[in-house]
Amino acid sequence: MTDLFPPEPGRIGTDESGKGDFFGPLVVAAFFLPEGQEDVLRELGVKDSKRTSDARCREISETLRRAYPYHSVVAVGPEKYNELWAKLRNLNRLLAWGHARAIENILERVPAGKAVTDQFGDEKFVRQALLKKGRNIELVQMPRAEEDLAVAAASILARAEFLSRLRGLSREFGVELPKGASEQVEAAAVRLVKAQGPEVLDRVAKTHFKTTVRVLAAAGVARLV
């Protein structure tokens, strides 16, 4: 940002979805909330995606995408996620990279002066990951950031994208890939490995999860190829 483009009234909120799900991508979304729009978002039913049904999440996400032009969704598919994990070996650094990219994508279009994120790690991780346009932004990390409506809107966008991509992976690999990291998830992973081989996990799952070890053992495979 430069003095020629003063900050636009409003703020960016960011949130992620999929970090605790064995199957599917990690998705980070950013949403620019213009000043004075909080009541509109409340009327739309915007709140933390963890307190919103999947169907409602998709519905609100479509409305937000149509009504608010300044948003960004960064989706890291399983193969890319596993590649990044092998390099970084730190979830907070990976999250920081995703949040920073989503913030930068919005700053390319609107000179926002403030961004709010959940407190998932040391603020310096996000600071270091921000590029030129993000160097002067006021960055606020706080617990329960989803109580901020800009962050809540980002959480809706991120969850809807995660659900869409998980459904796409399910169709691609011919197996219903459940959310989360439950016994149901492990059972689906075991069936998938038995049918398509252990290397399939790199394409559909976050393989650093301890779930991987249990799945391979249950499928009779010593280790991931």
Side-chain angles (χ1 to χ4, degrees), residues 25 29 31 38 50 63 78 92 121 142 148 171 198 208 213 219:
F31 179 86
E38 284 87 352
K50 289 186 281 295
T63 302
N92 285 341
M142 60 185 192
D148 183 290
R171 287 196 299 265
H208 69 89
V213 176

Side-chain angles (χ1 to χ4, degrees), residues 127-196:
R127 282 271 174 218
Q128 290 169 353
L130 286 166
L131 302 176
K132 184 176 180 181
K133 287 186 178 295
R135 285 178 188 157
N136 297 324
I137 197 169
E138 178 188 355
L139 181 64
V140 178
Q141 284 191 294
M142 60 185 192
R144 300 184 301 278
E146 295 87 353
E147 294 175 6
D148 183 290
L149 281 170
V151 177
S155 79
I156 292 284
L157 294 176
R159 192 60 178 172
E161 184 71 15
F162 170 82
L163 292 169
S164 175
R165 287 176 178 260
L166 185 65
R167 190 167 60 245
L169 282 171
S170 295
R171 287 196 299 265
E172 181 181 351
F173 289 91
V175 175
E176 184 66 30
L177 303 176
K179 297 175 293 182
S182 63
E183 290 182 3
Q184 182 187 8
V185 168
E186 292 189 24
V190 170
R191 290 194 298 272
L192 193 59
V193 168
K194 286 182 175 179
Q196 302 188 34

Side-chain angles (χ1 to χ4, degrees), residues 100-118:
R101 293 294 73 73
I103 290 169
E104 289 281 349
N105 289 345
I106 288 186
L107 293 176
E108 288 289 338
R109 303 174 61 203
V110 60
K114 180 179 180 179
V116 182
T117 76
D118 196 32

